[in-house]
Amino acid sequence: MSLNQLGIVKRNIVRADSAAVARLSKLGVATIHESMGRVGLMKPFMRPIYTGAHVCGTAVTVLMHPGDNWMLHVVAEQLQQGDVIVAACTADSDDGFCGELLATSFRARGGLGLVIDGGVRDIKELTAMQFPVFARAISAKGTVKSTVGSVNIPVVCAGASVNPGDVIVADDDGVVVVPAALAAATAHASEAREANEADKRTKLAAGVLGLDMYKMREALEKAGLKYID
Amino acid sequence: MSLNQLGIVKRNIVRADSAAVARLSKLGVATIHESMGRVGLMKPFMRPIYTGAHVCGTAVTVLMHPGDNWMLHVVAEQLQQGDVIVAACTADSDDGFCGELLATSFRARGGLGLVIDGGVRDIKELTAMQFPVFARAISAKGTVKSTVGSVNIPVVCAGASVNPGDVIVADDDGVVVVPAALAAATAHASEAREANEADKRTKLAAGVLGLDMYKMREALEKAGLKYID
Amino acid sequence: MSLNQLGIVKRNIVRADSAAVARLSKLGVATIHESMGRVGLMKPFMRPIYTGAHVCGTAVTVLMHPGDNWMLHVVAEQLQQGDVIVAACTADSDDGFCGELLATSFRARGGLGLVIDGGVRDIKELTAMQFPVFARAISAKGTVKSTVGSVNIPVVCAGASVNPGDVIVADDDGVVVVPAALAAATAHASEAREANEADKRTKLAAGVLGLDMYKMREALEKAGLKYID
Amino acid sequence: MSLNQLGIVKRNIVRADSAAVARLSKLGVATIHESMGRVGLMKPFMRPIYTGAHVCGTAVTVLMHPGDNWMLHVVAEQLQQGDVIVAACTADSDDGFCGELLATSFRARGGLGLVIDGGVRDIKELTAMQFPVFARAISAKGTVKSTVGSVNIPVVCAGASVNPGDVIVADDDGVVVVPAALAAATAHASEAREANEADKRTKLAAGVLGLDMYKMREALEKAGLKYID
Amino acid sequence: MSLNQLGIVKRNIVRADSAAVARLSKLGVATIHESMGRVGLMKPFMRPIYTGAHVCGTAVTVLMHPGDNWMLHVVAEQLQQGDVIVAACTADSDDGFCGELLATSFRARGGLGLVIDGGVRDIKELTAMQFPVFARAISAKGTVKSTVGSVNIPVVCAGASVNPGDVIVADDDGVVVVPAALAAATAHASEAREANEADKRTKLAAGVLGLDMYKMREALEKAGLKYID
Amino acid sequence: MSLNQLGIVKRNIVRADSAAVARLSKLGVATIHESMGRVGLMKPFMRPIYTGAHVCGTAVTVLMHPGDNWMLHVVAEQLQQGDVIVAACTADSDDGFCGELLATSFRARGGLGLVIDGGVRDIKELTAMQFPVFARAISAKGTVKSTVGSVNIPVVCAGASVNPGDVIVADDDGVVVVPAALAAATAHASEAREANEADKRTKLAAGVLGLDMYKMREALEKAGLKYID
């Protein structure tokens, strides 16, 4: 373990099992996050740049400096088909680190989408491309290319710990990180959870109360809930 | 008046007059807020989860704890046709308190929409349902069911005081609270205000200045406004 | 230079060259901002009230007080065809300073759009009118008409310095201010920049890396970047 | 109940029992808030302007407009010895509504301190006076005197509902509102709570664990907590 | 006027009259801001790093990039005795741009203090030095020295327009900018304002109401204020 | 690796070398952060609750739920002399998770201080105890004890990744995390860095410019910096 973790590009990473990724791509972020015990979620300031954006793939991570997007060019070379770029920054920065040209490059190299704890620009063009981006801000502010960061080191992105190769799933509800080693188990638990929801939905739509369906009345009474008129 | 207001569900509340509610449902939030003397508005961080969301109904209130949505199940039972759930929280919390299943239950029990000083999830599904939700955040973060709050007590939601039975009107401009006792008078004043706008719109569209239409020139001069070249 | 800059309406201002404005209207905010050396941008909290909003015109400036929109009526009279109203405020205020009626008046007097460091309302109607507004907030909160500000003085709006007559360009990426004296030069530099992008896009789409296209490898190595396996 | 609640000064209000106020003045905000069942607290953005500021008194309420402090002059006349001014605003505003001169007036008329959902200025002088102020912001920004609000109506201040005559207690931990009718009961419950703390403190200081003192081990195990090595 | 304003150091600037600066140094920020007609104030997020910090001097401006403090070394050479460094940034950045060593250099070259729309560090040492700093943030985060900005160009710092040579006055209430050409007039108006305050203070302390002293009763009645019991 | 990381208390952790911790305790956060290559810092919203607070020790981590401080009682049992409690939360929560009683317990069990991505209360008492706390908020808001989290798992606290046993150093400039394996190397690099500063300080105080001391002039010229008069 070196003192300085900046200035490193790790070329070989172990990506999560592709079959598990394929299964997770059919599931919602809220469901996956629940299945994992309610951990692994990025902060809610991470929003899709267009309604309906969705992406599921394996993380290739990059650590940038505020106002500097040099490493996004470096990370492009490390992409494989099915990857999602996860860009963290050493400090909060809303600058427009990525636009249409970089997204074109990412896609050409196999990148499925971008999750960035920073700003992006060319919103019109990125939307036209239907390139899913989840970001903390939208800003036309350009960046410099002066200082090296790192690629494929563990990063903290929007409050979540991400290791290279982890599964990233993002939709209108947010962004969740599934550790590579838990991908299959999480897919399994999430599918079970979802299968269970259809029946609940039917009952609730028919007017059955969650109070009864989940048998909450006794626990509520024990917790001291009182009904008055 | 008890020391502890938590742990109470009030079953019988007096709802605002339904005819007044019907009239208010045809009016915009900005108009209603103006008619009330510019009070009763929730903070502007309360936003619709999809463009064009609109709801008008009688408030059924609920007070929750941060990260705990137990009381949303309790409130479902207290709904009548035409109600809007107004969910306040004892502290700021962006967690995803409500999703598709709860919304399905609310709708089945007569709930028209949800106004929540907290987060929601299942945005795609809620939009497909066209279930109007106004919230402070969108977040996949799940919640626990551990601590009791209250239903149908007076609450402060997003900076506005809400009593059970008040009229809640929400559209793309925000959320306004009309006290039940003022519903008819507010509908009347708002309709008068709106009737007055068509004529103004025509004049302004024809190039007449507000300065002249509202006869502001004298007051401006008196206030010290000076024109220079 | 008078001690008190409030209470002044300057009638005659020098607007940027209309041919330059026309050229800038065909260019994106990100491109223009880059061409100017990455200055002149408003803060990223300035967002369009509907997706796809775009405006390019000459600035007519107005300085308002928090919660007071009186000067918006004053500014309407000073508009010429092709102007964009740039509304600054002496302190942060999210109130709804402008709605459909004022926008109707602005448009009737030649105003192309509004850039306001404050809130707006009547979102549904403004969207139906396709009147482009870029604002810091959306709020139904009404304002008073009590205190005079100024029209066509230099202002700071959302962190950017704006002089009357400057060119304002706004799109989904944000709002940029082009000083009137630099309008033609900026248009020229921006067009050159854009012409250059088509070729880059083609190469990147074909899988060429920015690392090679921009010849970054040597600089990165010199900066200490190391590749490991 | 009138449609428009602005423009009213209520002269006669019922203040909380002075003996109860005196007892509450000896207790901390955290203790009082706990005794009330964890309700009644203002948002944590309300901070004292100097360390150690403390106030306890009966609320005289005032509703102001953004950037307008006219009503602070009106409220001064309504003060009695032992009152605390609670200033709410119809929208968020960080302007400096109050400074040394107004504080001098408040104190001369019996006011013990100020709780304001807005900004204040003259921090150096207010600190020298040891006049306790709890505010959302510090700002030199001056305000106008143009628009009437109201005095001694129910207000929402920093997220808490305040009625004229309620007890306001504020210290380094925040600001709590005790409804007048609950003042004595709250004082009683808070004193009991505090009496109970000395023993706990001694035990904890001696190394006894809360796990044992509060007998939490069984509940934790039941909730699923597992110890691993 | 060049297209690119970055990369420039202007050596000769016209500083405000030193006698006027000396007079302004005896006055408070709130008073000066009022005398100027309530303009020229930086945003209230600009706070002193220690209580009681105060500075008054002539602005030497610098424009930095996010996370890059290179230009602070450049600006040190341009200081004269009595200057205050005003550091703006092309985008919001909380990084720690300045610490004890740079402050030592600033002081050695005649700098009286620092006003920075960014973060600073070495708070303990800067406080021990009693070097007045007004900043948007405190952060240990280090910065790079990679990209040139400019020195002594007009900047927008924390929402206020600053020209090199302007007078900067900062105290516990905030930071105000007095244009060089208005320095003497502002000092005069501020002194008059302050002279006027002693008499007001005495009257208010004696219980005279602002309502009477400022003769507000008639205006309030005209504005519709009603007293009820 | 289990799917659900909640509900676990790890009793045996490997703490950083105590000699290295002792050396780090004599160094400032800014220096340590620089020595590590400018990584490992928590977000700047983490502030000491009193000026001059300082702590250096080994991390015992805890993951809490919003508004729930149950796990703080659990973590107390796992402390050894020299530990610092690092409390993360599954979502942003400003509630007052910790007060004087818990701090008393922490100290009695060997805890040196608390770093919490949440709120704290009893500020007066904690300051009197001189118990160093670094927190995101101050709030009297009480919490429940309902839901289990975990102790001594890897957490993300205020944007920084923390493993049990890492060294935590916190002072007025912020909070830095030194991975246990890097503690000695970081102490060494930081000491070298600091030794180097005394000479720099002397030179800068004598008026030598950083431009010359760091030999920046050539690089600045190469980067395009131009001096004009």
Side-chain angles (χ1 to χ4, degrees), chain B:
Chain B
M1 197 175 190
S2 154
L3 192 54
N4 193 330
Q5 294 189 287
L6 295 185
I8 292 167
V9 181
K10 192 160 166 33
R11 273 182 292 225
N12 300 324
I13 62 171
V14 181
R15 287 167 172 85
D17 172 64
S18 61
V21 176
R23 288 163 68 193
L24 287 166
S25 74
K26 296 191 170 57
L27 295 155
V29 167
T31 299
I32 293 168
H33 155 73
E34 287 282 348
S35 300
M36 292 177 68
R38 293 185 196 132
V39 294
L41 210 61
M42 292 193 187
K43 298 284 182 195
F45 60 68
M46 294 294 280
R47 300 297 304 146
I49 58 165
Y50 55 87
T51 301
H54 172 265
V55 73
C56 176
T58 41
V60 168
T61 66
V62 56
L63 183 60
M64 317 178 296
H65 292 273
D68 191 317
N69 77 341
W70 210 9
M71 297 309 289
L72 293 186
H73 290 279
V74 175
V75 80
E77 191 177 25
Q78 305 306 318
L79 294 175
Q80 292 187 3
Q81 183 60 38
D83 284 341
V84 173
I85 299 98
V86 176
C89 193
T90 57
D92 289 352
S93 176
D94 286 348
D95 280 7
F97 292 88
C98 180
E100 177 210 4
L101 289 182
L102 266 167
T104 299
S105 179
F106 290 157
R107 178 169 277 177
R109 304 293 294 197
L112 300 182
L114 169 68
V115 171
I116 182 166
D117 194 351
V120 290
R121 56 185 189 175
D122 296 343
I123 297 307
K124 190 180 168 187
E125 292 78 7
L126 292 171
T127 304
M129 287 172 67
Q130 289 285 294
F131 187 78
V133 178
F134 296 76
R136 71 178 291 136
I138 291 171
S139 172
K141 172 70 169 53
T143 48
V144 300
K145 296 176 209 322
S146 303
T147 309
V148 295
S150 283
V151 168
N152 282 332
I153 63 167
V155 295
V156 173
C157 181
S161 184
V162 185
N163 285 287
D166 286 348
V167 189
I168 303 296
V169 193
D171 62 21
D172 288 331
D173 289 346
V175 186
V176 71
V177 185
V178 183
L182 297 178
T186 301
H188 183 74
S190 302
E191 288 160 353
R193 194 178 171 84
E194 199 169 77
N196 195 21
E197 287 206 345
D199 179 51
K200 287 184 192 171
R201 193 179 294 114
T202 307
K203 283 186 183 155
L204 292 169
V208 175
L209 289 166
L211 289 179
D212 297 312
M213 193 169 79
Y214 301 114
K215 300 189 197 312
M216 292 171 171
R217 293 190 190 272
E218 193 185 352
L220 283 163
E221 190 183 347
K222 201 173 161 188
L225 193 68
K226 279 179 183 40
Y227 287 80
I228 62 174
D229 292 319

Side-chain angles (χ1 to χ4, degrees), chain B residues 29-30 33-34 38 41 44 47 172-173 197 200-201 204-211 214 216-217 219-220 223-229, chain C residues 7-12 70-71 73-74 76-78 94 100-101 104-105 108-109 121-123 138-145 148-149:
Chain B
V29 167
H33 155 73
E34 287 282 348
R38 293 185 196 132
L41 210 61
R47 300 297 304 146
D172 288 331
D173 289 346
E197 287 206 345
K200 287 184 192 171
R201 193 179 294 114
L204 292 169
V208 175
L209 289 166
L211 289 179
Y214 301 114
M216 292 171 171
R217 293 190 190 272
L220 283 163
L225 193 68
K226 279 179 183 40
Y227 287 80
I228 62 174
D229 292 319
Chain C
I8 292 167
V9 180
K10 191 159 167 36
R11 275 182 290 224
N12 301 323
W70 211 8
M71 298 309 289
H73 290 278
V74 176
E77 191 177 26
Q78 305 306 318
D94 286 347
E100 176 210 4
L101 288 182
T104 300
S105 179
R109 305 291 295 196
R121 57 186 187 173
D122 295 344
I123 297 307
I138 291 171
S139 172
K141 172 70 168 53
T143 49
V144 299
K145 295 176 211 321
V148 295

Side-chain angles (χ1 to χ4, degrees), chain C residues 103-162:
Chain C
T104 300
S105 179
F106 290 157
R107 177 170 277 178
R109 305 291 295 196
L112 300 181
L114 169 68
V115 171
I116 182 166
D117 194 350
V120 291
R121 57 186 187 173
D122 295 344
I123 297 307
K124 190 180 168 186
E125 291 80 5
L126 291 171
T127 304
M129 287 172 67
Q130 289 283 295
F131 187 78
V133 177
F134 295 76
R136 72 178 291 136
I138 291 171
S139 172
K141 172 70 168 53
T143 49
V144 299
K145 295 176 211 321
S146 304
T147 309
V148 295
S150 283
V151 168
N152 282 332
I153 62 167
V155 295
V156 173
C157 180
S161 184
V162 185

